[in-house]
Amino acid sequence: MNRDPVKQNGLPATCDVLVVGGGPAGSAAAIEVARAGRDVVVIDKAIFPRDKCCGDGLTTLALRELEYLDVAPDSVDGWFDVDGAHIRSPSAREVFVPLVGPGRYAAVAPRMQFDAALLDRARDCGATVCDGVGLRDVTTADADGRPSDRVLVETTAGTIATRYVVAADGMWSPVRKAVGANEPGYLGEWHGFRQYARHVSGTAADRLHVWFEPDLLPGYAWSFPLPGGRANVGFGVLRDGTRSGAETKALWEDLLRRSHVVDALGPDAEMEDRHTAWPIPARVDELPLTSHRVLFVGDAAAATDVMTGEGIGQALLTGRLAADAIVAHGALDPGGVARRYTDDVRHHLFADHRMSRALGSVLAKEWGARGAIRVVEASGEWGRRNFARWMFEDEPRAVVLTPTRWHRNFLARPGAYA
């Protein structure tokens, strides 16, 4: 006898907020909405735990957001704290930039375990999580074409009526497409490759490496340590249409044979499974952030850092900001929700996004990358320490140019979980 799919998947008929996507942005939104006492449901077509192609790095921004959401590091299997970054310039110059002081400033956590832990936190806060439930359609207007006071969302487990939808469903957001706010043909600004390595016995076993390779600029390669002699190894390159898929795959294979990479991984290192690739969207200041009662967050808002390709911190931040806007303005003021969310994202991300874009244009040139690392090396202990905190988003990139974000403890706060 076939069971009712709505009951089977636990999907209710109504809720205050429906979150589409169970990644970091969606979980952050669900946690914040649930903690405010609202009825929130999360759907995701995948069944968790599931893997996600990513560098797995957590910046200080991400860690501060996780601390605010009460996500404890020991709740994430595979969490690995790091104390700085070992950076190699295109000229092979190497410099260590430390992340020291009370608390945590950077960590690495595999997305399979990390995302599942965040969803568990959302459940603990009272969110209803329905994984294995996909999206079919979104209706924001009534029969006469006027904006409705509810959003009807058709899923593979039935239809749910909600006051707001938080679209945390990735770069090719099905929600964005359903409401007609997508950008056809958009492929992202960057392209990333990643593969896990095991039996790592070189310096990559406990060091975070960043390699600015001449043929990757303005991108870079990385090795991020994980427990048990494992590492996340990968690279990100600008999507400029000059490399074919075969050329990119050959570049990846060549990168793994380079002596400094081989030495860092150690003689017994083995690559696990196959490499995976993913697009990186980075144009948060260009795409619409809302559509009536729909708010786009994380990759669906193209909120990734345009200079580094890091997106977990931005995902957590935008998810929280969307939830805060909904809680502040309530069910009957969608205009106020949209204005507050848009203003908050602009305040927190737009200036930094534009500065990162400008800095990226300098790092795109070999002389720019060499010069930047030479300056950091010559800046002394204070300069290297504060450069690391700036690079890992302990402070907003453009904070000096935006007085509204100045505060008394600039570059002097303890890390997260101090």
Side-chain angles (χ1 to χ4, degrees):
M1 180 177 180
N2 292 330
R3 291 182 291 173
D4 181 346
V6 174
K7 294 180 180 178
Q8 179 178 336
N9 290 283
L11 186 74
T14 63
C15 66
D16 295 326
V17 179
L18 177 68
V19 178
V20 181
S27 289
I31 291 167
E32 192 73 343
V33 171
R35 291 201 299 191
R38 306 300 200 277
D39 185 20
V40 57
V41 175
V42 182
I43 65 170
D44 195 298
K45 65 181 180 181
I47 296 176
F48 286 72
R50 59 92 179 97
D51 195 16
K52 189 76 171 181
C53 190
C54 179
D56 297 341
L58 301 174
T59 63
T60 315
L61 168 63
L63 297 178
R64 293 195 191 284
E65 290 294 324
L66 291 170
E67 182 181 28
Y68 178 81
L69 297 170
D70 291 327
V71 177
D74 60 9
S75 71
V76 182
D77 290 340
W79 182 288
F80 193 102
D81 289 310
V82 294
D83 62 359
H86 295 259
I87 304 173
R88 177 186 170 97
S89 92
S91 63
R93 180 189 301 270
E94 296 190 9
V95 60
F96 174 68
V97 292
L99 288 162
V100 294
R104 292 171 161 97
Y105 293 94
V108 184
R111 289 291 298 275
M112 180 176 286
Q113 289 77 22
F114 179 73
D115 289 11
L118 287 182
L119 265 187
D120 285 343
R121 172 66 183 145
R123 287 188 185 94
D124 291 343
C125 290
T128 299
V129 177
C130 302
D131 53 355
V133 174
L135 181 82
R136 285 182 172 163
D137 201 8
V138 179
T139 303
T140 60
D142 61 22
D144 297 325
R146 294 174 298 183
S148 174
D149 63 353
R150 286 176 175 79
V151 182
L152 292 180
V153 179
E154 183 183 349
T155 79
T156 56
T159 299
I160 182 169
T162 182
R163 291 294 190 178
Y164 294 98
V165 171
V166 175
D169 50 347
M171 180 181 138
W172 287 300
S173 166
V175 174
R176 187 180 281 280
K177 183 177 181 180
V179 300
N182 63 312
E183 185 176 339
Y186 177 52
L187 297 175
E189 279 62 44
W190 291 79
H191 200 66
F193 275 68
R194 178 217 72 183
Q195 194 168 4
Y196 287 111
R198 62 185 171 222
H199 306 316
V200 176
S201 58
T203 57
D206 57 11
R207 292 182 181 178
L208 188 153
H209 286 280
V210 176
W211 298 299
F212 286 100
E213 303 292 300
D215 51 350
L216 294 181
L217 295 175
Y220 60 96
W222 69 77
S223 177
F224 294 168
L226 290 166
R230 298 178 72 240
N232 179 316
V233 187
F235 73 90
V237 291
L238 186 67
R239 185 187 286 277
D240 57 7
T242 62
R243 291 185 178 97
S244 67
E247 289 171 333
T248 305
K249 184 175 184 296
L251 176 60
W252 173 238
E253 294 171 349
D254 177 66
L255 179 68
L256 294 176
R257 291 192 296 266
R258 298 179 187 182
S259 60
H260 54 284
V261 176
V262 172
D263 289 344
L265 295 176
D268 300 321
E270 298 175 356
M271 305 310 294
E272 298 178 356
D273 299 323
R274 59 180 180 86
H275 76 264
T276 54
W278 78 102
I280 301 174
R283 54 174 65 181
V284 67
D285 59 341
E286 297 180 28
L287 295 180
L289 295 170
T290 66
S291 178
H292 190 43
R293 289 178 175 268
V294 176
L295 289 75
F296 303 103
V297 298
D299 278 4
T304 301
D305 180 11
V306 70
M307 187 172 74
T308 67
E310 197 281 327
I312 294 178
Q314 289 78 0
L316 294 167
L317 173 63
T318 53
R320 176 175 64 83
L321 294 178
D324 289 346
I326 291 170
V327 170
H329 287 271
L332 303 181
D333 186 13
V337 170
R339 285 190 296 274
R340 170 164 173 163
Y341 176 59
T342 299
D343 288 346
D344 284 351
V345 173
R346 180 180 293 113
H347 171 79
H348 284 280
L349 294 179
F350 278 24
D352 310 298
H353 181 85
R354 290 162 184 164
M355 172 172 274
S356 292
R357 182 186 292 142
L359 292 171
S361 66
V362 174
L363 294 176
K365 303 172 179 63
E366 190 171 338
W367 62 263
R370 289 199 314 267
I373 294 172
R374 188 179 298 114
V375 168
V376 171
E377 183 183 38
S379 64
E381 181 181 350
W382 183 91
R384 288 192 293 272
R385 182 175 67 250
N386 286 294
F387 172 81
R389 295 181 67 167
W390 176 83
M391 182 174 71
F392 279 84
E393 301 172 324
D394 183 25
E395 297 288 349
R397 290 264 164 76
V399 66
V400 174
L401 305 178
T402 49
T404 58
R405 299 187 293 178
W406 290 358
H407 60 90
R408 185 172 299 174
N409 295 321
F410 174 61
L411 285 177
R413 293 183 294 173
Y417 307 101

